[in-house]
Amino acid sequence: MPSMRRPQISLQRFRLVVWVAFGSLYAIVVTGSLVRLTGSGLGCSDWPNCNSTKFVDISTGHAAIEQINRLFTGVVAASVILAVSSSILLSPRSRRITTNAALLVVGVLVQVVLGAYVVITGLNPWSNMAHFLVSIVLVSAAFVLVKRVELLIEPREIREIRDKPLRWVLIVVTSAVVFLGTVVTGAGPHSGSEEATRLAISVKRATQMHSISVWIMVFVAVVLTIRARRNVAQWNAEGPLMMRLVAALSAQGFIGYVQYFAGVPALLVAVHVALSIIVWLCAFSVFLPASTLLVLD
């Protein structure tokens, strides 16, 4: 009796699955920020139930917003589980691809635990900051997975990577920018609830520290761009990445200053959060050639 043939999935279809996982991970960061910005952080005061009497409660606007964000976590979980299961069906299989996808599942589980801790601690700013920073790591892991799949579909010739130390400086400074951005949030007015505590630092001081780190990042990005322009081969390969980073930084800087002088309105903060992930990914794209993250063998 002939043996059953193992089901397979094409790289093109798997790339679509991976993009869905990446998109859902990005979206939940934005929806999570909207929970806080609408003051709905304690719309559900318990975990996993919404409150002491109901598992699902949409009787108030705040409860409904928090509940929708929690339910969307199920969509995220399904998308990353699908990515792992699909990676096993690839032919030929790649151990790094499967491991990368499995890390997304682990990360989502960590986020579920952190989300519960955020509620239990009454929106403690440190737990909120950790929640966002883990989200950045998750989005980055999904981004690497996308890039790995694209390399499998369209292999590229190995070329010499220039300015590796400067790329490392860029990613370190960008990490500081993201962290200090969460400090501004932890000290600012949008805590998610009037009952939430804030960091023991003034918004002005936190914003100044964040702004200084951003200007350092801009300087490093401009230096990298100028150096890339001097090499035709490098510019042809990486020019678009450099220009996207500079454009994202310019847009984010403009929004940042406008929101600060406008009194930090919630809508602009939401845009700033959404753009912060784009800025991070643009910097991460420039950094990737200096790392071994895209090695598949």
Side-chain angles (χ1 to χ4, degrees):
M1 186 174 180
S3 59
M4 294 283 291
R5 184 181 179 184
R6 183 172 66 90
Q8 295 183 354
I9 184 173
S10 68
L11 282 170
Q12 287 73 17
R13 288 189 177 181
F14 182 63
R15 176 168 58 182
L16 179 60
V17 170
V18 171
W19 270 111
V20 169
F22 170 79
S24 66
L25 287 166
Y26 177 89
I28 201 166
V29 179
V30 178
T31 60
S33 71
L34 292 176
V35 171
R36 178 171 51 80
L37 293 170
T38 56
S40 305
L42 293 179
C44 286
S45 57
D46 202 356
W47 184 275
N49 292 347
C50 185
N51 51 52
S52 59
T53 59
K54 296 180 179 180
F55 179 72
V56 176
D57 184 8
I58 55 172
S59 59
T60 67
H62 289 328
I65 292 171
E66 168 65 1
Q67 196 73 66
I68 290 170
N69 187 61
R70 288 190 183 187
L71 293 174
F72 188 63
T73 303
V75 175
V76 176
S79 70
V80 297
I81 290 172
L82 181 61
V84 175
S85 57
S86 298
S87 70
I88 297 172
L89 302 179
L90 281 174
S91 182
R93 283 183 58 183
S94 168
R95 180 179 56 83
R96 286 180 181 263
I97 292 287
T98 302
T99 302
N100 196 160
L103 286 175
L104 298 184
V105 177
V106 174
V108 169
L109 292 176
V110 170
Q111 282 294 66
V112 170
V113 174
L114 273 175
Y117 187 71
V118 168
V119 174
I120 292 170
T121 58
L123 306 185
N124 180 280
W126 289 105
S127 58
N128 259 323
M129 290 161 63
H131 203 37
F132 179 80
L133 293 174
V134 172
S135 294
I136 292 292
V137 173
L138 263 174
V139 170
S140 302
F143 185 75
V144 169
L145 184 56
V146 168
K147 292 299 181 184
R148 282 174 163 169
V149 175
E150 289 180 346
L151 281 177
L152 284 176
I153 295 174
E154 297 180 13
R156 299 171 190 170
E157 61 180 75
I158 299 175
R159 59 184 180 81
E160 182 183 359
I161 304 302
R162 304 177 72 236
D163 298 320
K164 282 188 178 182
L166 199 54
R167 294 172 196 258
W168 277 97
V169 171
L170 175 69
I171 203 64
V172 170
V173 172
T174 307
S175 299
V177 168
V178 173
F179 173 75
L180 290 172
T182 66
V183 173
V184 174
T185 299
H190 300 293
S191 60
S193 172
E194 294 180 359
E195 304 170 22
T197 58
R198 312 308 294 139
L199 292 180
I201 181 174
S202 70
V203 178
K204 183 177 180 180
R205 177 60 60 84
T207 303
Q208 287 173 339
M209 294 166 57
H210 180 56
S211 180
I212 290 170
S213 67
V214 171
W215 279 111
I216 295 173
M217 181 184 175
V218 169
F219 175 76
V220 175
V222 169
V223 171
L224 271 168
T225 303
I226 292 173
R227 288 181 60 82
R229 286 290 300 246
R230 296 174 179 172
N231 184 286
V232 175
Q234 184 185 3
W235 186 252
N236 289 338
E238 297 187 291
L241 296 179
M242 305 282 188
M243 295 308 297
R244 277 197 290 269
L245 173 58
V246 172
L249 276 170
S250 300
Q252 181 72 320
F254 176 76
I255 293 294
Y257 278 108
V258 170
Q259 73 166 2
Y260 180 76
F261 290 111
V264 202
L267 179 60
L268 285 182
V269 175
V271 174
H272 199 58
V273 170
L275 276 175
S276 69
I277 306 169
I278 294 175
V279 170
W280 166 263
L281 290 176
C282 287
F284 194 53
S285 296
V286 173
F287 161 75
L288 275 176
S291 73
T292 57
L293 290 173
L294 297 182
V295 176
L296 290 173
D297 53 10

